[in-house]
Structures are given as C-alpha cells and as structure tokens.
Amino acid sequence: MEPSQRDSGENTVVHPDGRVDLGDPKSISGSRYFNEELAPVPVSKRTWSTYNYFALWMGMAHNIPSYALAASLIALGMNWVQALLTITIGNIVVLAPMLLNSHAGTKYGIPFPVFARAFYGVRGANLAALLRAFIACGWFGIQTWVGGEAVYIIVGRLAGPGWRDSAVIAGQHWTLWLSFAVFWAVQMLIIWRGMEAVRKFENWTAPLVSVGFLILLGYVLVKAGGLGPILSEPGKLGWGADFWKVFAPSLMAMIAFWSTLSLNMPDFTRFGGSQRKQVRGQIFGLPTTMTFIAIVAILTTSGGSVLYGEQIWDPAKLADRFDSPIVVVIALIALVLATISANLAANVVSPSYDFSNAFPKKITFALGGLITGVIGILIQPWRLYSDPSIYIFAWLGFYGGLLGAVAGVLVGGYWVVNRTKLHLKDLYTERGAYWFTGGWNWRAVVATIVGAVLAVGGAYDGPFPADGLIPFLKPLYDYNWVVGLVGAFVVYALLSRPVEKIEKKEETSERPGPSRIDPAAVDG
C-alpha cells in the first residue's frame, strides 16, 4: 500500500485511497465556524461498511410515509404497474445526485452544511443548510404524527374503547395527542445520545422493519383470496392523457421524497470506510428497499380496495380495519420501530448539523435535534398528511423544486467547477478560499434563486392559484425537481467559469507550483 502524503501548504494528509485528513485539527479549533460535530471525521474513524449503508437505507425506506407514498398513487387512480413504474424511475433518478454529493463526505469527512460552504460561502452555506433543515423539520413532524397514530391504534386495541373514544381536543382525541407526544419524546431521547446511538439503532432495527409490512400484506392476501383479485384491480386512469397528466407530478414527488437526502448524504458518508463501500451500500440499499416497500404498499392497498371497497392509503388506518387484534398489534409495533429508525436518520441528523452550522459555538448536535423536534410540532403535520393530493402535489412537489436548485449548485460546484478538490482547512476559517464576499458567494445565491423560481414559480392547485403563481411558468411545475436542478446547475457553472479562469491566471503569476483557487481574490 502506498504511504499517505502530507501537503504542508494545505495542512492535509492524503491517503492512498484518496480520502483526506486534516493534518492539524487544532489549527481550526478556535474558529467561530468550528465545533466538534462539524469537524472533519478522521480517516481512522471512518469505519462504516457497505452493510451499514444498506441498513441505513433499509431503516430509512421502510416506514409508514414511504408506504403511504406508494399507496397514494393507487388512491390517485394508477394501477399497480403504473405505480411501480413511477416509483422505480424516481428512485433511479434521485440516486444520481445523491451519489455525486456523497463523494465529498467520504473524501473529506465533512457534513452537508460544511460541504455547502465551498459553494455558498462560509456564511452563505446557512441559506442551503437552513432551507434543508426546515423541510426536514416538516418531515420529522409528519413521521412523528403517523408514528403516534400507530401507537394510538395499538394501545386502543389493547386498552379497549375507552382509549379510542376519549374526549376530543383541538380536533383530535386527547389520547392521540398523548401518543404523538410519547413518540416524539422517545426520538428526542435517542438523538440526545448522539450519532453513534443513531447508528446502533439503525443496525439492529434494519432486519426487523420489513416484518410489519409483510404481515399487513400477508393478511390482505389471505382475506382477498390471493394475488389474482388484487392484480386484476383496474386503475382509473388508463394509459392515455389522464395518466400522463398525473405521471409527471407524481414522478417529481417520488424524486422529492428523497431529494432531502440527495443533499445531506455527506452527513452519513463522512463516516464511510471507502468510496466503494458507501456507493455499493447505497446502490444496493435505496432502489431495492424502496421497490420492496412500493410492491408491498401497492399490493396491500389494492387488496384493501378489494376487501373494503375503498383505497386506504394510510397503513395504520388500514390495519385498524383488520379483525385480528394480534395481527394489528404485531404489525404496527414493527411499523413504529421502522418509523423511528427512518425519522432519526432522514429527518433529525441533518437539521441537527444544519442548526449547529448556523451557530457552531452555541448549538450542539443534540440541541439541534431538539430544535428540529419543536419546529416539527409547530408546522402542524396532521394537516400536511391529511390528503394525498396535498401530500404529493403541494408538499412534496413544492419543496422538491426548491431542493433541486440547491442540488444543482452542489453538483455543478463540486464536479464541474472544483473538480472534486476542496481546501479542507478553509472550510472552517474566515478570509480563506471560501470567504468570497463577506462569507457569501453571490453566484450560488443567484443560481439557487433562478433554479427555484423556474421550478416552483408556476405552482398551481391546492393552496396555490389555479393558473399558477407565475402563470407562464405553470408548465414547468410538473417537472419541478428536474427544472430546479438543471436550471441552478447551468447558471452556477456559467457564472463560475470565467471567474475560475481569471483566478487561475492571477494565482499562477503570484507563486510557483499548483494553482489554488481563491475566490476571495476576485470578490474582495
């Protein structure tokens, strides 16, 4: 094995496999933009294996909202083939930017908000990080609400009608509010113990999270008389114009479902034992686990339609219709564990880092998680989750377009402009390569705004005007995530290219040796 190489000018150590260590971590420890949670993970502690990432994805994908996402396509009128096709294409598409952004985490050991500093600026990264964080808070609230709902049904089956028929407060039974609060508190206790506690929880729950969904499917198959009646259940849309009108926004919703992770996967890949391990773990993990949960959800929902004459897209409510209390309790306990696993990994880890990035010396990882939990309640998740049209077209569609724009800046900046080369120390310091103008890179901000406006400016229906917020952009809204990503990617690359050439020319004349891109030299 080749020896590691030390770059004294960069204060880094480059290992034979390409991963980079900070040579002297103490050199940045006094910076206002540094804390222990945001610090680069030393290569010696980057130990996550292929299985760790596969288990992570199994834990994140197998949860009630993932099930509901697939089931809601049946509720919108698709047949099982159409729904499965939509979900499979969406997962393959979103995997590309996810792997592209994951590379930096494994190479440099940095979380998403620190990665974003390379393009938005040391201060400007808060724009991308907090946008991602607040959306994660919304998702945390939704996951916690459906998990609390499952707890409510489980206890109701065990405790009797008194629990289910309790007094109504603010539109919900007080016992449902209590279930929601308990579920919330359990998650806060786990995140308070730190990232290692999250990893351990993911590992031991991963093999169990499929059990609940298989029980639901098995029960429905038995009651419906096998797969025949389920697979013959026709969709309402056919393969004509009606289907294609629903397909495009539904595909964007499938992509948007994991668009948050396409940004912040460095939060996890920073612990990767190698690029190959994290890539293989994700390729094996995301498409396979989401396809599995989609098949289960589609068949179970279609079976529920055969049995009960209606499409029940919420698995907790579907399970509540079953005659056997034992089946209901076992299935929902497994679903509760699955939802905790997914919520911690997908919706608490990232905003914990993001809030910590905003105030590194004041907000720890644990405190960031608590902030996430509080905001997740304030956004009233029970309203977002109440209707499949709102869930897919308003919530998923709108934020998917916003995050697509951020993803376009990150992918364009890391792979096209910077060619995967970052100055690790400067990500944590003032007046370094990523200070730009006052800590902000206006190019990234402009690219994000342009991409976001193109993506969601034409938002229509639901809470939006029927003709769209900006009518002439309405046709683009059905392709929001792709429009946002491509638009921001192109704008950022175009704005950055001439500056890069100028900087290389200036810096080559200043000193011998390899050039070092310093945007501050141009922006002041």
Side-chain angles (χ1 to χ4, degrees):
M1 180 179 291
E2 298 178 10
S4 301
Q5 297 178 351
R6 178 176 292 272
D7 186 333
S8 57
E10 287 290 318
N11 189 28
T12 56
V13 177
V14 182
H15 293 263
D17 62 359
R19 290 182 297 167
V20 178
D21 249 337
L22 194 60
D24 180 16
K26 293 182 180 179
S27 64
I28 60 172
S29 61
S31 170
R32 61 186 296 190
Y33 301 105
F34 171 90
N35 66 28
E36 291 300 328
E37 282 86 4
L38 299 175
V41 176
V43 168
S44 61
K45 294 184 179 180
R46 299 180 207 173
T47 58
W48 283 31
S49 65
T50 296
Y51 173 75
N52 288 140
Y53 288 104
F54 179 82
L56 177 72
W57 273 112
M58 183 177 287
M60 289 195 294
H62 292 180
N63 59 80
I64 295 176
S66 291
Y67 174 104
L69 183 70
S72 63
L73 296 180
I74 301 297
L76 289 171
M78 291 188 183
N79 62 32
W80 71 272
V81 175
Q82 293 168 332
L84 185 59
L85 177 67
T86 303
I87 291 170
T88 301
I89 294 174
N91 290 332
I92 293 173
V93 170
V94 80
L95 186 62
M98 194 171 294
L99 292 176
L100 291 174
N101 287 330
S102 293
H103 186 276
T106 303
K107 183 174 181 178
Y108 295 100
I110 53 176
F112 158 65
V114 175
F115 175 46
R117 291 175 182 179
F119 319 108
Y120 286 87
V122 175
R123 288 176 173 170
N126 287 319
L127 172 66
L130 292 179
L131 178 62
R132 165 67 180 94
F134 286 121
I135 290 170
C137 292
W139 266 121
F140 173 82
I142 289 174
Q143 293 266 29
T144 303
W145 177 255
V146 298
E149 187 180 61
V151 171
Y152 169 75
I153 293 173
I154 292 171
V155 177
R157 281 298 181 107
L158 298 174
W163 177 268
R164 301 287 289 275
D165 299 332
S166 60
V168 174
I169 300 175
Q172 305 288 349
H173 293 284
W174 72 263
T175 46
L176 178 54
W177 291 121
L178 177 61
S179 301
F180 175 60
V182 170
F183 195 80
W184 180 91
V186 169
Q187 294 173 102
M188 290 298 100
L189 288 174
I190 296 173
I191 203 69
W192 198 258
R193 298 185 63 183
M195 189 65 183
E196 185 62 18
V198 174
R199 184 185 70 84
K200 290 180 179 178
F201 189 85
E202 297 293 331
N203 281 346
W204 75 262
T205 57
L208 303 176
V209 294
S210 306
V211 173
F213 293 117
L214 289 175
I215 291 174
L216 289 178
L217 177 59
Y219 186 88
V220 167
L221 285 176
V222 171
K223 291 293 184 179
L227 284 173
I230 294 175
L231 297 181
S232 63
E233 185 77 3
K236 299 177 182 178
L237 301 176
W239 287 96
D242 289 341
F243 167 70
W244 295 107
K245 288 179 182 178
V246 175
F247 171 75
S250 296
L251 177 63
M252 293 304 104
M254 299 306 111
I255 294 171
F257 190 78
W258 291 122
S259 64
T260 50
L261 269 294
S262 73
L263 297 184
N264 74 276
M265 272 310 292
D267 293 340
F268 302 98
T269 59
R270 65 194 296 227
F271 302 101
S274 69
Q275 295 289 2
R276 175 179 290 185
K277 289 177 181 177
Q278 64 91 358
V279 168
R280 290 174 62 186
Q282 293 197 74
I283 291 177
F284 293 152
L286 173 58
T288 56
T289 54
M290 278 301 290
T291 299
F292 169 80
I293 194 62
I295 291 172
V296 171
I298 291 165
L299 294 179
T300 306
T301 305
S302 299
S305 178
V306 172
L307 292 176
Y308 305 114
E310 60 180 307
Q311 283 137 351
I312 305 172
W313 65 295
D314 185 328
K317 292 181 179 178
L318 176 62
D320 196 31
R321 300 285 289 270
F322 294 170
D323 296 328
S324 170
I326 296 177
V327 171
V328 173
V329 170
I330 294 175
L332 291 184
I333 286 176
L335 296 186
V336 165
L337 289 175
T339 301
I340 293 176
S341 176
N343 218 12
L344 291 177
N347 304 315
V348 181
V349 170
S350 177
S352 295
Y353 285 129
D354 296 337
F355 289 127
S356 181
N357 183 72
F359 303 98
K361 296 300 183 183
K362 296 181 179 180
I363 299 179
T364 63
F365 178 82
L367 182 57
L370 181 60
I371 293 172
T372 302
V374 172
I375 296 176
I377 295 174
L378 296 178
I379 58 100
Q380 302 181 56
W382 47 92
R383 297 184 186 276
L384 291 176
Y385 192 68
S386 61
D387 181 86
S389 296
I390 295 174
Y391 181 53
I392 286 185
F393 298 127
W395 167 246
L396 289 176
F398 192 85
Y399 90 67
L402 295 178
L403 296 190
V406 177
V409 171
L410 297 183
V411 173
Y414 185 65
W415 289 94
V416 176
V417 178
N418 288 37
R419 309 289 177 85
T420 75
K421 295 180 180 179
L422 301 179
H423 306 299
L424 189 54
K425 182 179 178 180
D426 287 351
L427 291 169
Y428 296 88
T429 58
E430 294 186 36
R431 310 297 173 185
Y434 308 112
W435 189 246
F436 299 98
T437 302
W440 288 77
N441 183 4
W442 64 268
R443 301 171 191 82
V445 175
V446 169
T448 303
I449 293 173
V450 171
V453 170
L454 290 174
V456 303
Y460 65 93
D461 286 347
F464 308 113
D467 293 331
L469 292 171
I470 304 175
F472 75 90
L473 292 177
K474 181 179 177 180
L476 297 181
Y477 186 62
D478 286 344
Y479 307 92
N480 43 63
W481 182 83
V482 171
V483 169
L485 185 143
V486 173
F489 178 98
V490 171
V491 171
Y492 185 75
L494 290 176
L495 290 175
S496 300
R497 277 187 64 191
V499 173
E500 182 184 10
K501 290 179 181 178
I502 293 170
E503 288 160 353
K504 284 185 175 179
K505 183 177 179 180
E506 289 180 353
E507 291 170 4
T508 302
S509 65
E510 289 176 3
R511 65 165 188 242
S515 63
R516 177 180 175 185
I517 300 172
D518 184 1
V522 175
D523 288 324

